[in-house]
């Protein structure tokens, strides 16, 4: 079963155990999406603070080729946070992204101007700016946004209920070992205490 299936079943089991009633799959889907975004943002904040990518974020690290015009390109639609880039045509050093003041200082430097082997870059808005300005292509490594999970359903044989459909559901990128974290976030969104021991116990049972 997909991770999203484990999460869905655990949330439903917890709600029944706590006598919180029955929720539609669409309501659980909303709660899980909120949970994924909250957990993702916590990991992203840790990366911003330390400069090291936390293990849970590893599935979200992507590398793509960008074509530049006058040293500028639009960011990917799923872009969340930059990591590094390099110029593949010359196998340049991995570049460190800078703030505006640092970028302008390097760009105007006589002693250490940007070069193909030692480029500089800055992210502003939805664009990336790279120097030297004649750079036409880069390999950008970045952290992507989480994809929306989908909890698909099928109609039961008697037509009276909707059952979870694992085949057509769209899974989360977070690995199964982080199910408990996501379940706690989802239950908190649903106003079930996130420290509820039942949630952790059920999550462990369903993921084993």
């Amino acid at each position: 079963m997909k991770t999203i299936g484990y999460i869905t079943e655990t949330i439903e089991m917890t709600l029944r155990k706590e006598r919180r009633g029955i929720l539609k799959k669409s309501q659980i889907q909303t709660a899980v999406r909120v949970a994924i975004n909250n957990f993702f943002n916590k990991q992203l904040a840790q990366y911003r603070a330390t400069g090291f990518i936390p293990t849970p974020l590893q599935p979200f690290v992507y590398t793509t080729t960008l074509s530049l015009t006058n040293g500028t390109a639009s960011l990917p639609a799923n872009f969340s946070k930059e990591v590094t880039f390099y110029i593949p045509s010359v196998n340049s050093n991995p570049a460190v992204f800078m703030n505006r003041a640092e970028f302008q200082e390097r760009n105007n430097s006589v002693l250490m101007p940007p070069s193909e082997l030692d480029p500089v870059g800055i992210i502003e808005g939805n664009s990336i700016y790279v120097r030297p300005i004649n750079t036409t292509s880069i390999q950008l490594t970045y952290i992507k946004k989480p994809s929306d999970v989908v909890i698909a359903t099928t109609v039961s044989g008697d037509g009276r209920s909707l059952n979870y459909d694992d085949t057509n559901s769209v899974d989360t990128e977070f690995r199964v070992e982080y199910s408990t974290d996501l379940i706690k976030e989802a239950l908190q969104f649903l106003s079930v205490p996130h420290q509820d021991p039942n949630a952790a116990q059920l999550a462990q049972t369903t993921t084993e």
Side-chain angles (χ1 to χ4, degrees), residues 31 34-36 38-39 42 180-190 194:
V34 170
I36 288 170
N38 287 347
F39 186 61
K42 289 177 181 179
T180 300
D181 299 280
L182 299 179
I183 291 165
K184 287 180 179 180
E185 292 280 355
L187 291 174
Q188 185 174 25
F189 176 77
L190 294 169
H194 69 281

Side-chain angles (χ1 to χ4, degrees), residues 31-189:
V32 174
R33 287 180 176 181
V34 170
I36 288 170
N37 285 327
N38 287 347
F39 186 61
F40 175 86
N41 288 334
K42 289 177 181 179
Q43 302 306 312
L44 196 63
Q46 184 176 338
Y47 169 58
R48 293 178 187 273
T50 66
F52 296 97
I53 299 175
T55 301
L57 283 186
Q58 290 297 335
F60 297 88
V61 178
Y62 271 53
T63 298
T64 189
T65 300
L66 295 182
S67 298
L68 288 76
T69 302
N70 296 324
T72 304
S74 296
L75 293 170
N78 63 356
F79 176 89
S80 180
K81 176 65 178 172
E82 67 276 8
V83 177
T84 188
F85 76 90
Y86 73 98
I87 301 175
S89 61
V90 295
N91 196 26
S92 70
N93 296 324
V96 177
F97 285 94
M98 301 177 169
N99 60 38
R100 167 56 63 177
E102 294 168 333
F103 183 77
Q104 290 180 332
E105 182 178 355
R106 278 294 308 276
N107 194 39
N108 296 327
S109 174
V110 175
L111 296 177
M112 295 181 59
S115 66
E116 287 188 322
L117 290 176
D118 191 19
V120 297
I122 186 173
I123 302 288
E124 289 187 340
N126 294 319
S127 298
I128 179 172
Y129 301 88
V130 174
R131 298 294 182 269
I133 199 169
N134 61 352
T135 304
T136 59
S137 178
I138 62 168
Q139 287 279 323
L140 173 67
T141 299
Y142 66 100
I143 298 173
K144 68 176 287 291
K145 299 174 184 176
S147 300
D148 281 340
V149 296
V150 174
I151 300 176
T153 57
T154 56
V155 180
S156 63
D158 59 11
R160 299 176 61 183
S161 62
L162 295 176
N163 298 326
Y164 170 74
D165 178 4
D166 195 60
T167 300
N168 294 306
S169 292
V170 178
D171 211 356
T172 175
E173 291 104 331
F174 282 114
R175 298 191 180 104
V176 68
E177 56 261 39
Y178 303 107
S179 296
T180 300
D181 299 280
L182 299 179
I183 291 165
K184 287 180 179 180
E185 292 280 355
L187 291 174
Q188 185 174 25
F189 176 77

